[in-house]
Amino acid sequence: MLFSSLLFIYIFLPALLICYFTVRRNSQRRAVLLLFSLVFYAWGEPVYIILMIGLVFVNYIFGLLINKTESLRERRLLLILAVIVDLCPLFFFKYLSFMTGIINGLFPVEISVPGVALPLGISFFTFQAMSYIFDLYRGTAECQKSFARLLLYISFFPQLVAGPIVRYADIEKQLEDRKMNIEDINEGLFRFTAGLLKKVLIANTCGRAADAILGADLNRTSVFGSWIGILFYAMQIYYDFSGYSDMAIGLGRIFGFRFKENFNYPYISRNVTEFWRRWHISLGSFFRDYVYIPIGGNRRYWARNAFIVWSLTGLWHGASWNFVIWGVYYGILLIAEKALLLRLFARLPGIISAVVSYVYMAAVTLFGWTLFYFSDNIIGGTGRFLGIGVQASEIFSIALLRDNAVILIVAAVFAAPVVPALSCRMKKILPENRYVIASRVAKTAFTAAGIALGTMLLAGSSYNPFLYFRF
Amino acid sequence: MKMKESRFGRTNKIVNISGFTVIAAAWLLVASLNLFQKDRPEISEAEQRALAGFPEVNISTVVDGSAFRGIDNFVTDTFFMRDFLVKSQQKFSVLYGLDLITGDSGRIAYIPPAATGRQDEAGQIVTPDASGESPGSGGGFPEEAVPTFSEAGQLPETDYLKNGVLIYKNAAYSMADYYEAGARQFVAVAEQYADAFPHTRIIILPAPLSAMLLDGNEFKGALLDQRQSLLEIQAMCEATADSSTAVAETPGDLSAGSSPDTIRPAIGPKVRFVFVFDELWAHRGEYIYFYSDHHWTARGAYYAYRCFAGAAGFQPAGISSMKETIIGEPFVGGLYTFTGDERIKAFRDTLYAYFPVKPHTMKVYDKDWNIMEFGSSILTFGSNYSNFIAGDNPLTVINVPDNPEGLSILVIKDSYGNAMVPFLTEHYNTIYVVDPRHGSIKLREYFKNIPLTDILFLNHLNLNSTTSWVQTLQNLLAE
């Protein structure tokens, strides 16, 4: 089930809210959330829900065992075992075919594997399950004695299929008890609406434009068209994913959960290091805390460690060479920045440094997205951006740009922290009380109008895939 | 101070509660109206298509997830006031483009409805030629709709692209797409049909899209070369295994003579191909595609039929032998609803129909397998593309008693097939038409005791490499 569907907005969510607020006790509310979360997942994956529940059960058992074990060595052994068991389904469903392809290519063998569909959100819930085991092992979280609560943590529908990757330690206490009030509900609805509009208004429109150009025959796309197409794609992927995160955070808030932010205006970054502190924050911090630091972090072989982490980051996004190359590409850039580039930028005079940084970021980010987009023909795809064998421009890209220019401008404007800046300005102008009231009224009006607009856009829209579902 | 805070706290609480109440009430109202609405629509007039019905829910559909997807589609398609919302969305989407800033930037002239005539490469309005089957006398532009270039006024060069639709000068065009890998899948599935129906000829006829008419002008090279794509599919079909043993009892041969009597066992590829591009291109000056709709006209379909008949060993019937009729009033076709572009409203179309000579009856099965019976394959009420074989339906069966018994064809089609099927009544005794978008039928079971002379895949070119369509065709073969 998609958040941005009429079924979710007008049937699933009202039914859940009614049931949730009808019951009073925490345990009953948890039961309602768990039941609806399982229905939510089963709606998209009626068979693999067994896999998800099984994975949670395995981690529940490992959690109990780790909790009972005193010996550090045995705890570590259990941790390694749990991680291996967690990664097995992910490897089977996501990477087996890719790996056998590599083996078949390297050696004179013909290993064939059955083609299986990737279970919805497997990359996300696997990482959440591992986060529980890691936090327990490190002592930053208590062992969860209740299987139902652990199941709720991993299967909680707002973050189940496309993140953000909520770490167990961050949500542990909220699973037990949550304080919530009418402001939380309003704020949650506002955030959900903002995410909905990001998705259905901006991401879907940009996605259609990007596909029209980039998905066309390679020989018929111009250099200009390729750059315009990837610009639309850059906006699509940001608004798609951050919109989903907004909806997840908003839905969590409605039910009293506070999830951490997953995006913080990444496109205003002046270097790749900053970009990755602002983009998919939950994934970046997962790899930082559970992989990069344990293998040595900045203390020793930092370049090697960074290379490993970024290769894994690329691979996490998909079992395809283009994702690996994309990850390695960012790994190399980060290493280069740390070793040299950031110091070079810092030495430039202020305004020049800013201009150079932004031009550099625009170029590396857009080129990065070309690596990301072309999973089948990475050489042909990226070649177009360099003008290899194609014309400079053609009428379709120009027409497409003209017909979606306003959306592109809106997307570019709101990719910068315009709203927080305006809000800050208003806060300075208005007395605090008035600011709070005015802000609430404005947010309520936005929520009402946004849901109406979102409904209108969804009613006739058949184009609705969430990009991050495939990861 | 404490009092002040308390007053603020109360105000804040009231604002929050009021805001939530307003949103929740409106939300629940719409949710209830949607949930409890009576008589959910089954057809979208605006989109000219059947809306999704409530899916079959059983263990199998639940396990494979199709029941859930079906319910999702059903809720979206039959949402409360959906037609209004769709139209509003189309109007709203105008705001996405630069027109919001520049207004009507003079990129396009609004052509009066009567002044619609396609221009040829030299920019001249196409006029009927003198032959008996020219558009003027044989079904092209209405007499009053053939202005001279000067009468039509200045027609500025224009280009416009949205949802795969191009507006060029005074008509809207559907653009084509093609992927070799997808086309290979299509041909492979057609081969499976040949294996499943060993005594039946399997024929593919992809219909070019109207953007083919733009070949030869400034768009050449920028648009997909549909001719080349069709030739590639033809080569794939010719490369399919020799069917000489498989169809030893085949009653027909695509390369045979000109009447059913000359039909003989076939030696040829398993999957045969009918190439219609050149025939349509030769008649590009005629009214072969609608201006505001994504379909070909009955005249365009006729030329495709002529290719088919020639290749299938029949003497094609002359269009002049059929009664030409204009049905209903001029209409605005589906490309307006696809794009919401107001300019397309100016490109009015006229529905010409050519009534088959041989008497026949038509049974149409709807998605609930209710039967509607008609005395002709062309309806005379209403005025749009649905007049041909009563539109898209899961199964349609046409009986033509005057044709030899045992000569039968199964047409698996999208809506491009609708306009061509009536011409097949000239040759076949029984014509089965299946539109897999509108219902599922198990072909092996249904035709277990019904011999088929031919199976014809008739759809627009894009579908020949659309994986979901190929999958749908494969599903029809399920045991």
Side-chain angles (χ1 to χ4, degrees), chain A residues 5-7 9-11 13-14 18 42-43 46-47 182-183 185-186 189 201 205 208 215-216 220 395-396 399-400 402-407 433 436-437 440-441 444 447-448 451 453 455-461, chain B residues 8 11-12 15-17 19-20 23 27-28 30-31 34-35 62-65 68 71-72 75-76 79 82 85-86 88-89 92 95-98 100-101 107 159-161 163 166 175 177 179 219 221-224:
Chain A
S5 70
L6 296 173
L7 179 76
I9 296 171
Y10 287 101
I11 295 178
L13 193 54
I18 289 167
W43 201 266
V47 174
I182 190 81
E183 282 189 65
I185 297 172
N186 280 336
L189 287 172
L201 179 60
T205 309
R208 276 191 291 270
R220 288 187 288 128
I395 55 169
F396 295 112
L400 211 57
R402 187 191 64 215
D403 290 340
N404 294 285
V406 172
I407 286 289
N433 290 0
V436 172
I437 301 296
R440 175 46 49 212
V441 170
T444 303
T447 305
I451 291 174
L453 180 59
T455 303
M456 183 184 85
L457 293 170
L458 284 173
S461 173
Chain B
F8 164 70
T11 312
N12 191 28
V15 169
N16 267 295
I17 291 173
F20 174 75
I23 290 170
W27 195 337
L28 285 177
V30 176
N34 174 53
L35 199 61
V62 166
V63 168
D64 69 18
F68 301 118
I71 293 172
D72 220 339
V75 170
T76 306
F79 193 75
R82 180 176 178 274
L85 293 168
V86 169
S88 305
Q89 182 204 343
F92 180 78
L95 303 178
Y96 296 176
L98 274 185
L100 174 69
I101 298 166
R107 287 183 289 111
D159 54 277
Y160 188 86
L161 181 69
N163 296 346
L166 181 70
M175 293 164 63
D177 221 339
Y179 296 96
F219 292 97
L223 289 170
L224 176 80

Side-chain angles (χ1 to χ4, degrees), chain B residues 109-110 166 180 219 234 314 381 407 411 419 425 437 458 464:
Chain B
Y110 285 80
L166 181 70
E180 188 196 335
F219 292 97
Q234 184 174 26
F314 298 113
F381 48 87
L407 210 51
V411 182
T425 59
R437 299 167 303 168
L458 175 49
N464 279 76

Side-chain angles (χ1 to χ4, degrees), chain A residues 17 25 27 55 102 143 216 263 302 385 406 457:
Chain A
L17 288 169
R25 288 166 56 189
S27 57
L55 193 79
I102 294 172
C143 175
F263 287 85
W302 66 267
F385 293 84
V406 172
L457 293 170

Side-chain angles (χ1 to χ4, degrees), chain B residues 154-174:
Chain B
Q154 186 64 36
L155 298 177
E157 295 291 322
T158 185
D159 54 277
Y160 188 86
L161 181 69
K162 196 173 200 177
N163 296 346
V165 179
L166 181 70
I167 292 179
Y168 179 69
K169 294 182 179 172
N170 54 352
Y173 298 83
S174 297

Side-chain angles (χ1 to χ4, degrees), chain A residues 190-206:
Chain A
F190 167 74
R191 193 68 189 269
F192 175 80
T193 309
L196 181 69
L197 288 188
K198 275 184 171 182
K199 166 68 184 160
V200 298
L201 179 60
I202 300 179
N204 285 1
T205 309
C206 290

